[in-house]
Amino acid sequence: MNTWISSACLVAACLVAGCDVDLLGSGGASDGLQSAPLSDGAVMLAAPNGFCVDPRSIERRFALMARCDTLGAAGAGGAPLALITATTVAVAEDATLDEVELSSDEERVVRRETRDALTLVQVQGTPPDPSFDDTFWRGRGVVGDQVLGLAIYTPKGADEIGTQGASLLVQTMRRTLVRSRPVPDKSATPAGNRGPVAVLASLFE
């Protein structure tokens, strides 16, 4: 497995989402999956070209995707060395995505854009682990009754990912929407007593 992928970066990114899995405990290659269910199957996360889901990382509302060859699987192609995180949270149907910012006051926004069902922002700030580059992409969009939050990080010293980072997140969103099953309407707010804006904001805390 690639040294960077098998380093504390994986653990740090997982800890951001509150994972309990020990990503370094098993050692060696984990192989990869093309897709994985999140939110009890409401979201079928699908990896973009050249990336696979690390099966060791999968939690109910979280998963990591890395270049397939770094997980011991074939099919990396010309994909960049990067780590993609995916997080889901249930929200009320009347939640307004525009009410939640994808960046904090401590981060400098490099660019913003919206592609299809995904709102994107590239920021410069403090990454979840010091070995990540300080410029990275975040995105979020709705999949059924869930909000899918995505982020892509590259290691320091790697080739600049530029707009390719946004394209990989968009491809992840498109494939996930195609694979995810419809969910029935719910009269109650899945998030309990928390308002929809608070729930959406928790994706990027």
Side-chain angles (χ1 to χ4, degrees):
M1 182 181 295
N2 181 278
T3 302
W4 176 70
I5 292 296
S6 63
S7 73
C9 294
L10 279 175
V11 177
C14 198
L15 288 175
V16 168
C19 298
D20 295 323
V21 65
D22 180 5
L23 291 173
L24 300 183
S26 60
S30 66
D31 292 326
L33 306 171
Q34 289 302 304
S35 62
L38 301 179
S39 296
D40 301 319
V43 175
M44 183 58 71
L45 179 68
N49 287 340
F51 283 76
C52 293
V53 180
D54 188 336
R56 300 169 302 169
S57 73
I58 300 171
E59 295 284 319
R60 181 168 176 259
R61 295 190 176 278
F62 178 81
L64 293 170
M65 291 167 281
R67 204 172 66 185
C68 291
D69 61 336
T70 66
L71 298 174
L81 183 61
L83 185 71
I84 301 174
T85 64
T87 310
T88 61
V89 65
V91 296
E93 291 182 357
D94 60 353
T96 303
L97 290 177
D98 291 339
E99 294 177 304
V100 179
E101 289 294 325
L102 279 168
S103 60
S104 68
D105 293 338
E106 291 74 33
E107 296 172 331
R108 183 177 73 86
V109 175
V110 178
R111 92 181 38 141
R112 298 178 185 272
E113 58 183 280
T114 299
R115 297 196 208 173
D116 299 342
L118 199 64
T119 300
L120 294 152
V121 63
Q122 186 184 37
V123 300
Q124 188 173 56
T126 303
D129 186 88
S131 57
F132 288 126
D133 190 81
D134 63 2
T135 301
F136 45 91
W137 285 92
R138 293 195 190 103
R140 49 121 165 89
V142 175
V143 181
D145 67 349
Q146 305 288 313
V147 172
L148 176 64
L150 299 170
I152 185 167
Y153 304 96
T154 55
K156 284 182 178 178
D159 293 338
E160 183 178 347
I161 197 169
T163 57
Q164 187 180 11
S167 297
L168 287 167
L169 296 188
V170 170
Q171 190 178 98
T172 301
M173 185 67 176
R174 287 174 179 168
R175 292 182 174 184
T176 298
L177 284 169
V178 169
R179 287 176 175 260
S180 299
R181 61 176 173 79
V183 295
D185 293 337
K186 297 181 180 179
S187 58
T189 301
N193 295 327
R194 301 175 67 193
V197 174
V199 175
L200 283 167
S202 69
L203 273 173
F204 305 104
E205 290 177 349

